[in-house]
Amino acid sequence: MLTIKPRFETFEEYLKYDDNSEKLYELFNGELIEVPPESGFNIQIANRLFMVFALMLGSDRVRGHGLELEVRGEPKNRYPDLTIIREEHIQQLSKRNTIRLNMAPPLLVMEIVSPGEIQRERDYIAKRIQYQDCCIPEYWIIDPQTQTILVLELMDNIYTTVGNFSNDDLVRSPGFGKLNLKVSEVLNFN
């Protein structure tokens, strides 16, 4: 049996699409590309960070991998590993867990780098450009391979490095000054 893949001319058309599954898709050149599941290791890291931020802000302000961000360029959407949303987003996201370009950006997005050169390039370059373009104030790149957390802050519409933290360094966050988190608490699996 021949299956015809849907094509979408606009992001609005894509938002109306429902295949009655729990699959996540990126919209790339009008076609759906299924997002592969995260590794167990990356989920553990995301869960640790979720707990830290949920205790600080409340669990409603912390969203995991299922939060969709509309972005410019290709693909037209991303699913950060962890996102800290604004209070106003809680109600806005009650029907669909998607932050549109016409909404205020989230306060912080975090990506946990998966193994492989393509994934590294995607998190360090492509997503950085797209998140910067969306005016997201803070972007973290958590890299299990190098055992580092790179914290970037939007300054004059360009991400600048706050710090590249490792080992027992305290992660410095411009938007969350009360954060008391060591890199080793997130990336240590001994």
Side-chain angles (χ1 to χ4, degrees):
M1 183 168 117
L2 180 65
T3 304
I4 298 173
K5 290 184 174 182
R7 286 200 53 81
F8 304 94
E9 297 297 320
T10 66
F11 197 71
E12 281 70 27
E13 282 181 22
Y14 157 75
L15 289 175
K16 292 175 187 169
Y17 176 73
D18 184 3
D19 66 355
N20 294 313
S21 78
E22 295 294 317
K23 293 178 183 176
L24 301 178
Y25 298 102
E26 287 182 341
L27 182 61
F28 192 84
N29 288 329
E31 293 184 11
L32 298 178
I33 308 295
E34 186 176 348
V35 177
E38 288 291 322
S39 73
F41 190 62
N42 283 15
I43 295 292
Q44 283 179 277
I45 293 168
N47 285 345
R48 290 174 178 180
L49 289 163
F50 184 99
M51 292 296 293
V52 168
F53 279 92
L55 289 171
M56 187 169 51
L57 303 170
S59 61
D60 290 349
R61 300 264 317 275
V62 187
R63 298 291 167 107
H65 184 65
L67 177 107
E68 179 179 43
L69 281 177
E70 180 184 11
V71 294
R72 291 178 190 85
E74 295 295 338
K76 301 253 180 259
N77 57 331
R78 295 288 189 180
Y79 296 91
D81 292 309
L82 207 65
T83 305
I84 308 303
I85 63 173
R86 299 170 187 268
E87 191 71 36
E88 68 199 65
H89 289 140
I90 296 169
Q91 183 61 39
Q92 292 172 329
L93 301 176
S94 62
K95 289 191 173 115
R96 183 175 176 125
N97 203 25
T98 302
I99 295 180
R100 302 289 312 271
L101 287 169
N102 62 357
M103 297 166 67
L107 297 173
L108 167 62
V109 293
M110 298 178 215
E111 294 288 356
I112 302 164
V113 181
S114 296
E117 200 53 42
I118 291 172
Q119 289 79 357
R120 295 183 74 69
E121 193 171 298
R122 184 177 57 219
D123 289 339
Y124 278 95
I125 299 170
K127 290 180 182 178
R128 179 177 176 158
I129 291 167
Q130 287 182 309
Y131 295 160
Q132 177 179 277
D133 184 60
C134 290
C135 297
I136 298 169
E138 196 169 334
Y139 176 35
W140 290 17
I141 302 172
I142 297 105
D143 194 332
Q145 188 175 347
T146 62
Q147 295 282 296
T148 59
I149 297 177
L150 174 62
V151 175
L152 302 166
E153 179 182 22
L154 195 65
M155 305 270 296
D156 298 322
N157 298 317
I158 296 173
Y159 278 135
T160 58
T161 301
V162 172
N164 197 15
F165 305 99
S166 61
N167 301 315
D168 286 332
D169 291 346
L170 279 174
V171 178
R172 225 178 52 228
S173 167
F176 302 93
K178 294 181 180 177
L179 183 68
N180 186 17
L181 176 70
K182 291 181 181 178
V183 174
S184 56
E185 294 171 329
V186 176
L187 294 172
N188 187 359
F189 284 90
N190 293 332

